[in-house]
């Protein structure tokens, strides 16, 4: 058979199959592949060119090229008309359908506790004061009346980042900055991140959050401290919460006290978290030590004050019964989504 006869039969074959496509019996893409594909009928025709005498090749090549563009055009029209038909067949957008839900995130539990504590003390006239996370020995220890050989200064407990540079181990460093930078009377709440060189476990982490509070004025009494913290506990844990004030020791307060709330001993878990006592310590506090006032540039004969500090993770764990501190930092959606309000 001659090449031109083959060209003619490919053209006829195409006309037939085109009808089948138009009748919906066959797909347009299938047609394109059968004729124009890499192993299609057109490719077969081109392959035959090699068998012709060199003088016959240009004319035959032109014929195949002509067929190819004709087929391409017809297939192209097929696609255009079918997408136009499809568009016409698609109904207009149904505006009565409900919208796609927007996935909403949750506020991190640490932020939630922080916001609640801020709101409670905000109503009592406290304002927010931020101390730095990278600190010197003076602000983190010395000015807070820690003795030079205090074990908290040990490398085992504190991350040192330079000769006199460390990551603060508590938010109490903010007390000294506030004393230096604000004029009394002072009423501040200083939240933030703190760092301790501790191995990571269910109960402890090398970084966590605290909220520090400090009040400086004339004639501030321990009764005022106790009343303020009891008010806080009622606002935070509920009006019928039972609290107790227990003597304690911190270098930067004298006298010092810890506040416990009565948790109860109803379940096995209650025994575990309260170590069988029913009481849970929630914060440390006390009257600002005269040495701290002096270090901050105030005369302890004129000024008095109280301070307190609490751990945010600890409080969140109590509030929601979270058993492992590491959940707070893993960013696991399954944990975080449980705090949607
Ligand atoms: N800084 C203490 C700690 O990290 C907490 C604390 C105790 C803060 C007593 C205070 C305070 O302001 O008066 O454990």
């Amino acid at each position: 058979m001659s090449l031109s006869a083959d060209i003619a039969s490919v053209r006829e074959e195409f006309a037939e199959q085109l009808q089948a496509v138009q009748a919906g019996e066959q797909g347009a893409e299938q047609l394109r592949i059968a004729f124009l594909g890499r192993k299609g009928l057109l490719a077969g025709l081109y392959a035959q060119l090699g068998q012709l005498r060199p003088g016959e090749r240009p004319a035959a090549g032109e014929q195949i090229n002509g067929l190819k563009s004709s087929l391409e055009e017809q297939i192209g029209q097929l696609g255009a008309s079918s997408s136009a038909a499809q568009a016409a067949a698609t109904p207009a957008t149904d505006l009565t359908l409900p919208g796609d839900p927007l996935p909403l995130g949750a506020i991190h539990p640490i932020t939630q506790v922080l916001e609640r504590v801020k709101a409670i003390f905000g109503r009592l006239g406290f304002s927010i004061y931020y101390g730095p996370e990278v600190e010197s020995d003076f602000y983190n220890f010395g000015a807070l009346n820690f003795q030079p050989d205090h074990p908290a200064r040990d490398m085992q407990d504190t991350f040192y980042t330079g000769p006199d540079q460390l990551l603060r181990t508590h938010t109490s460093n903010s007390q000294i900055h506030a004393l230096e930078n604000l004029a009394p009377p002072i009423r501040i709440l200083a939240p933030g991140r703190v760092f301790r060189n501790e191995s990571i476990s269910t109960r402890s982490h090398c970084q966590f959050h605290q909220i520090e509070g400090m009040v400086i004025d004339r004639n501030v009494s321990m009764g005022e401290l106790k009343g303020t913290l009891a008010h806080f506990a009622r606002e935070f844990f509920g009006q019928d919460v039972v609290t107790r004030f227990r003597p304690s020791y911190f270098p930067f307060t004298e006298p010092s006290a810890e506040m416990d709330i009565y948790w109860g001993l109803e379940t096995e878990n209650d025994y575990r978290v309260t170590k069988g006592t029913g009481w849970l310590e929630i914060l440390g506090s006390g009257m600002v030590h005269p040495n701290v006032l002096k270090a901050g540039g105030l005369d302890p004969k004129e000024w008095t004050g109280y301070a307190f500090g609490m751990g945010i993770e600890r409080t969140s764990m109590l509030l929601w019964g979270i058993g492992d501190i590491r959940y707070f930092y893993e960013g696991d959606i399954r944990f975080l989504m449980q705090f949607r309000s």
Side-chain angles (χ1 to χ4, degrees):
M1 265 234 287
S2 75
L3 179 54
S4 31
D6 285 348
I7 292 174
S9 77
V10 168
R11 181 176 282 123
E12 270 169 40
E13 176 69 22
F14 181 80
E16 258 173 52
Q17 290 200 25
L18 184 65
Q19 276 183 350
V21 172
Q22 282 162 341
E25 293 157 13
Q26 188 189 324
E29 182 57 12
Q30 227 179 316
L31 180 69
R32 193 191 62 77
I33 291 168
F35 285 83
L36 300 172
R38 203 161 49 82
K39 293 180 180 162
L41 293 174
L42 265 280
L45 294 178
Y46 281 115
Q48 289 183 46
L49 280 177
Q51 293 152 20
L52 298 180
R53 272 179 309 218
E56 294 169 348
R57 285 179 201 166
E62 223 168 288
Q63 261 189 303
I64 307 175
N65 285 344
L67 176 62
K68 187 180 171 213
S69 6
S70 154
L71 300 198
E72 279 171 348
E73 199 187 314
Q74 292 178 74
I75 289 175
Q77 279 169 1
L78 211 56
S81 64
S82 83
S83 63
Q86 235 170 37
T90 309
T93 308
D94 182 353
L95 297 176
T96 66
L97 286 174
D100 291 334
L102 281 179
L104 275 191
I107 296 175
H108 196 284
I110 291 180
T111 310
Q112 286 191 35
V113 167
L114 177 57
E115 292 302 320
R116 286 181 57 186
V117 175
K118 263 161 63 172
I120 294 167
F121 284 101
R123 290 193 287 274
L124 299 177
F126 284 72
S127 51
I128 302 296
Y129 187 89
Y130 292 107
E133 292 177 353
V134 179
E135 201 43 292
S136 66
D137 181 279
F138 176 76
Y139 290 97
N140 195 79
F141 295 123
L144 287 163
N145 200 35
F146 280 79
Q147 293 312 301
D149 57 353
H150 194 284
R153 281 189 163 99
D154 198 283
M155 299 258 287
Q156 300 291 318
D157 300 312
T158 303
F159 288 115
Y160 286 89
T161 49
D164 183 25
Q165 198 186 63
L166 50 88
L167 302 183
R168 66 173 174 190
T169 59
H170 52 183
T171 45
S172 303
N173 69 327
S174 316
Q175 291 189 24
I176 309 301
H177 290 282
L179 288 172
E180 284 183 349
N181 295 315
L182 306 176
I186 297 169
R187 252 169 202 267
I188 53 142
L189 207 59
R193 223 163 14 155
V194 304
F195 307 86
R196 287 188 198 171
N197 196 353
E198 280 187 47
S199 48
I200 297 171
S201 71
T202 51
R203 295 269 139 194
S204 63
H205 207 281
C206 57
Q207 67 154 53
F208 52 100
H209 298 76
Q210 288 185 335
I211 303 181
E212 191 84 10
M214 183 178 72
V215 168
I216 304 289
D217 208 336
R218 293 188 171 89
N219 306 314
V220 176
S221 71
M222 186 109 184
E224 211 175 314
L225 166 65
K226 197 176 169 191
T228 305
L229 294 181
H231 168 80
F232 162 73
R234 284 192 302 270
E235 291 286 296
F236 193 88
F237 292 101
Q239 290 304 313
D240 42 9
V241 70
V242 177
T243 56
R244 77 174 180 194
F245 233 41
R246 185 167 41 77
S248 182
Y249 173 78
F250 301 101
F252 38 95
T253 45
E254 181 59 35
S256 305
E258 281 172 293
M259 192 168 76
D260 300 338
I261 59 168
Y262 190 70
W263 190 254
L265 283 172
E266 273 147 44
T267 69
E268 194 128 339
N269 189 55
D270 294 344
Y271 274 88
R272 199 169 51 80
V273 298
T274 68
K275 300 190 181 89
T277 65
W279 292 91
L280 267 177
E281 174 229 315
I282 60 160
L283 54 79
S285 67
M287 302 308 289
V288 178
H289 196 288
N291 289 349
V292 174
L293 292 168
K294 267 188 247 169
L298 294 187
D299 179 357
K301 290 199 194 69
E302 186 179 0
W303 299 103
T304 49
Y306 64 79
F308 54 89
M310 71 186 107
I312 306 187
E313 280 80 351
R314 208 188 131 69
T315 313
S316 307
M317 288 167 86
L318 290 179
L319 203 59
W320 285 293
I322 298 166
D324 192 323
I325 194 171
R326 291 170 291 199
Y327 287 136
F328 289 112
Y329 319 113
E330 285 169 349
D332 188 327
I333 293 283
R334 295 168 300 178
F335 172 73
L336 297 172
M337 283 310 216
Q338 295 177 55
F339 298 94
R340 274 187 296 191
S341 46

